[in-house]
Amino acid sequence: MVCGTTNFKCDNCGEHFEGVAAEWYACAIIAPVQCPKCGSMHTYPVDSMTFWGIFGPPYIYKKIWKAQT
């Protein structure tokens, strides 16, 4: 389900951008979207819960990226 838009950060190039927030496999996790700068799918939503990406991606996104390859 699409939940609107949110801010994302690319783990490869560090780009911050806004993208569509859609749920990942019918759970509360926001699905990664493609980075507009480098084309990577290693992106994750950033907000106050993730300290705006300062400390890197949450552990669950590393597992998602691994499953995508």
Side-chain angles (χ1 to χ4, degrees):
M1 172 175 36
V2 175
C3 306
T5 61
T6 192
N7 294 313
F8 285 88
K9 182 177 180 182
C10 178
D11 193 52
N12 286 347
C13 69
E15 178 77 7
H16 285 261
F17 61 95
E18 190 171 312
V20 175
E23 62 186 26
W24 177 260
Y25 287 108
C27 64
I29 298 169
I30 302 294
V33 297
Q34 189 172 23
C35 175
K37 183 176 179 182
C38 71
S40 172
M41 288 297 289
H42 286 207
T43 61
Y44 58 98
V46 292
D47 57 16
S48 61
M49 296 288 287
T50 60
F51 298 101
W52 292 276
I54 293 171
F55 300 112
Y59 176 72
I60 190 67
Y61 281 92
K62 291 179 182 180
K63 290 176 74 173
I64 290 171
W65 300 335
K66 189 173 183 179
Q68 286 180 331
T69 57

